Amino acid sequence: MPVKSHPILPDALDPWIARLRMRSSLTAEEIAAIRALPGEFSVYDGNRDFVRLGERTHHCCIVVSGLAGRFDQTASGARQITALHIPGDAADLHSAPLPEASSALQSLTRTTILRVSHDDVRALVARYPAVAMAFWRDCEVDAAILSKWTLNIGRASAKQRVAHLLCELAMRFAIIGEDRDDFTLPATQAHLGDVVGLTNVHINRTLRALAEERLAVVRGGRVEIRDWQALVDEADFDPRYLHLPPERVR
Amino acid sequence: MPVKSHPILPDALDPWIARLRMRSSLTAEEIAAIRALPGEFSVYDGNRDFVRLGERTHHCCIVVSGLAGRFDQTASGARQITALHIPGDAADLHSAPLPEASSALQSLTRTTILRVSHDDVRALVARYPAVAMAFWRDCEVDAAILSKWTLNIGRASAKQRVAHLLCELAMRFAIIGEDRDDFTLPATQAHLGDVVGLTNVHINRTLRALAEERLAVVRGGRVEIRDWQALVDEADFDPRYLHLPPERVR
DNA sequence: CGCCGTATTGAACAAATTCAAGATCTGTGG
DNA sequence: CCACAGATCTTGAATTTGTTCAATACGGCG
């Protein structure tokens, strides 16, 4: 249950459209058609499921503000976050082709979600093939990110995993206008552990090590990158998997 | 360099079409249009890259026979397999919207690949919106599998990881007509380790444990499931993430 | 037969978890 | 403004899990 719901504001889709246009070229008509998608938005406090596991969904959720995660868990209750979504991300655009949620979506902090109905998305992509490709591509970028996370979790050390996550988030936040080297990340240490497959205790120790080595400081929901190049080297971070246009990669 | 290349056989696409039709309803005309896709196929020995890391691709690769994997690796050379593709899988259909390969594709054994050009795929989906949705959905199923692998690698014990992989492969092979409890899996123990994020040594010990407990025996490129229910319980395997039609889930 | 890739085993080691106790922070109500 | 409660963070010690290293065995094939 959201804190409150509103009809859509005319420009609420703009951050997502900006993300789409970064990787797909769309005509003015196509963009207008996306912008005309009806929807409504809801505000959730932290730690609220806005899509439940196994649910059959009828809407795609776009993150307008805040931070959301895709959560899965084992029978014994161990949690794994398989995606983090920042403003401008369509957290479950994939639910348009595949409406059965095979993981939950949850807010990590107070988060505004914009909901667009599958019917409208499907009608739109049926009419505009280029929009279909743009949406499909948008999903594949998230899949490429998950693929890199899998390498990270499966084969990297704790320090490398955390460093890699910080590099990725820094770059993603920079794209939406935050400061790459000093941004807000409203996630607990336990959340970070659930992203990279480590316990909260070990995340704590790893963050301390990164701070002591003056690579990055994570404290109180803020990330300060102290030495970008050293962090990149530690993480073996290569941003190509983010599929950014060349001018966005520094 | 493939061992040999041929023009496409008329029915080479059928296993993939069967996979698509399992989850998407397509008209006779749409199916005929997919089947009419021009392409050609190539045979590779084991351990051959047929898509290299970072390459800009111009074709989608469909696995006709054999076994292929999606490989990524860290700077220090540790490998991680982020997908396994069995006959009927489109290993990189996602390259149609996103042609820059952010991981490599490699044969694990002698494997036949069917190549269909991006241009033809794009023309097809532009003409048939339902085909676009079917292709997008096909990609999302693979993304759902990767998401489950991430949970498995991040949070499950070695025995659970291997058990889960065996359950998934058993089910996927069963769908394409193999015996769920006795199928060929032409992967080495090192390959299995690269899938679940363990060393070859530890995979060896884990397989022995599974055999001693009479859950499953993996030997000489064959998997024999000895106690399906016990294996499912050990793995906490819930096949919903495979998004199979209800009648295919036993 | 002999070769090479694969599989197997043991022992020492390293990394991360678990368990448990405190400390700190944050928001709430008095 | 302060006290309090609950969540989050921090730290240490013991333990577990999986890795590393190294040696040996197997197995299919020329």
Side-chain angles (χ1 to χ4, degrees), chain A residues 72 74-75 79-80 82 94 97-98 100 126 129 136-137 139-140 146-148 150-151 154-155 193-194 198 236 243, chain B residues 72 74-75 79-80 82 94 97 100 126 129 136-137 139-140 146-148 150-151 154-155 193-194 198 236 243:
Chain A
D72 204 350
T74 64
R79 288 199 313 188
Q80 178 69 42
T82 55
H94 59 266
L98 215 59
E100 302 271 356
W136 183 6
R137 182 171 299 123
C139 285
E140 293 310 327
L146 180 57
S147 179
K148 189 59 79 174
T150 305
L151 169 66
R155 294 303 192 190
D194 289 340
L198 295 170
D236 183 26
H243 295 272
Chain B
D72 203 350
T74 64
R79 288 199 313 187
Q80 178 69 43
T82 55
H94 58 267
E100 301 272 356
W136 184 6
R137 182 171 298 122
C139 285
E140 293 310 328
L146 180 57
S147 178
K148 188 59 80 174
T150 304
L151 169 67
R155 294 303 193 190
D194 290 339
L198 296 169
D236 182 26
H243 294 272

Side-chain angles (χ1 to χ4, degrees), chain A:
Chain A
M1 36 243 63
V3 174
K4 47 187 175 175
S5 277
H6 305 271
I8 185 172
L9 289 184
D11 57 355
L13 280 162
D14 284 355
W16 181 46
I17 291 174
R19 177 180 149 134
L20 291 170
R21 295 186 71 178
M22 202 164 57
R23 301 180 178 103
S24 302
S25 73
L26 295 165
T27 66
E29 181 186 350
E30 287 155 355
I31 289 164
I34 297 172
R35 205 189 307 271
L37 277 170
E40 73 172 35
F41 60 103
S42 317
V43 180
Y44 294 87
D45 281 336
N47 303 305
R48 297 282 183 280
D49 274 19
F50 55 91
V51 171
R52 288 181 305 278
L53 182 65
E55 184 182 353
R56 178 171 192 104
T57 59
H58 298 90
H59 298 84
C60 299
C61 295
I62 296 161
V63 179
V64 174
S65 72
L67 184 64
R70 210 139 128 47
F71 286 71
D72 204 350
Q73 54 181 45
T74 64
S76 60
R79 288 199 313 188
Q80 178 69 42
I81 296 178
T82 55
L84 282 179
H85 291 294
I86 70 177
D89 287 1
D92 65 347
L93 187 57
H94 59 266
S95 70
L98 215 59
E100 302 271 356
S102 60
S103 33
L105 288 176
Q106 188 175 113
S107 56
L108 305 209
T109 182
R110 174 168 284 241
T111 297
T112 304
I113 292 300
L114 181 60
R115 243 173 256 279
V116 180
S117 90
H118 288 164
D119 288 345
D120 291 327
V121 169
R122 292 182 193 131
L124 183 67
V125 301
R127 177 142 159 58
Y128 296 102
V131 173
M133 286 302 277
F135 285 4
W136 183 6
R137 182 171 299 123
D138 197 58
C139 285
E140 293 310 327
V141 169
D142 284 340
I145 292 174
L146 180 57
S147 179
K148 189 59 79 174
W149 283 20
T150 305
L151 169 66
N152 204 34
I153 294 168
R155 294 303 192 190
S157 70
K159 206 156 69 174
Q160 291 175 315
R161 292 186 211 183
V162 175
H164 196 280
L165 177 63
L166 294 180
C167 287
E168 176 184 309
L169 290 174
M171 201 140 239
R172 288 170 63 190
F173 275 115
I175 289 164
I176 61 171
E178 306 284 312
D179 183 343
R180 186 198 69 186
D181 294 338
D182 185 355
F183 55 91
T184 299
L185 181 70
T188 65
Q189 292 184 359
H191 284 137
L192 299 181
D194 289 340
V195 170
V196 297
L198 295 170
T199 60
N200 56 354
V201 172
H202 205 58
I203 283 288
N204 183 278
R205 290 173 177 143
T206 307
L207 289 178
R208 182 148 58 84
L210 289 176
E212 278 169 3
E213 294 168 29
R214 311 199 186 283
L215 298 186
V217 177
V218 180
R219 255 167 51 90
R222 282 199 84 64
V223 177
E224 289 175 44
I225 311 279
R226 291 291 167 82
D227 186 338
W228 173 252
Q229 193 52 51
L231 195 66
V232 163
D233 291 345
E234 174 66 38
D236 183 26
F237 178 73
D238 176 348
R240 276 179 295 180
Y241 74 99
L242 293 173
H243 295 272
L244 300 173
E247 72 275 14
R248 305 305 301 246
V249 183
R250 269 167 297 181

Side-chain angles (χ1 to χ4, degrees), chain B residues 84-100:
Chain B
L84 282 179
H85 291 294
I86 69 177
D89 287 1
D92 65 348
L93 187 56
H94 58 267
S95 70
L98 214 60
E100 301 272 356

Side-chain angles (χ1 to χ4, degrees), chain B residues 128-216:
Chain B
Y128 296 102
V131 173
M133 286 301 277
F135 285 4
W136 184 6
R137 182 171 298 122
D138 198 57
C139 285
E140 293 310 328
V141 170
D142 284 340
I145 291 174
L146 180 57
S147 178
K148 188 59 80 174
W149 282 20
T150 304
L151 169 67
N152 204 35
I153 294 169
R155 294 303 193 190
S157 70
K159 205 157 69 174
Q160 290 175 316
R161 292 186 211 183
V162 175
H164 196 280
L165 177 64
L166 294 179
C167 287
E168 176 184 310
L169 290 174
M171 201 139 239
R172 288 170 63 191
F173 275 116
I175 289 164
I176 61 171
E178 305 285 311
D179 183 343
R180 186 197 69 185
D181 294 338
D182 186 355
F183 55 92
T184 298
L185 180 70
T188 64
Q189 292 184 358
H191 283 137
L192 299 181
D194 290 339
V195 170
V196 297
L198 296 169
T199 59
N200 56 354
V201 172
H202 204 59
I203 283 288
N204 183 279
R205 290 173 176 142
T206 306
L207 289 177
R208 183 148 56 85
L210 289 176
E212 277 169 3
E213 292 168 28
R214 310 197 187 284
L215 299 186

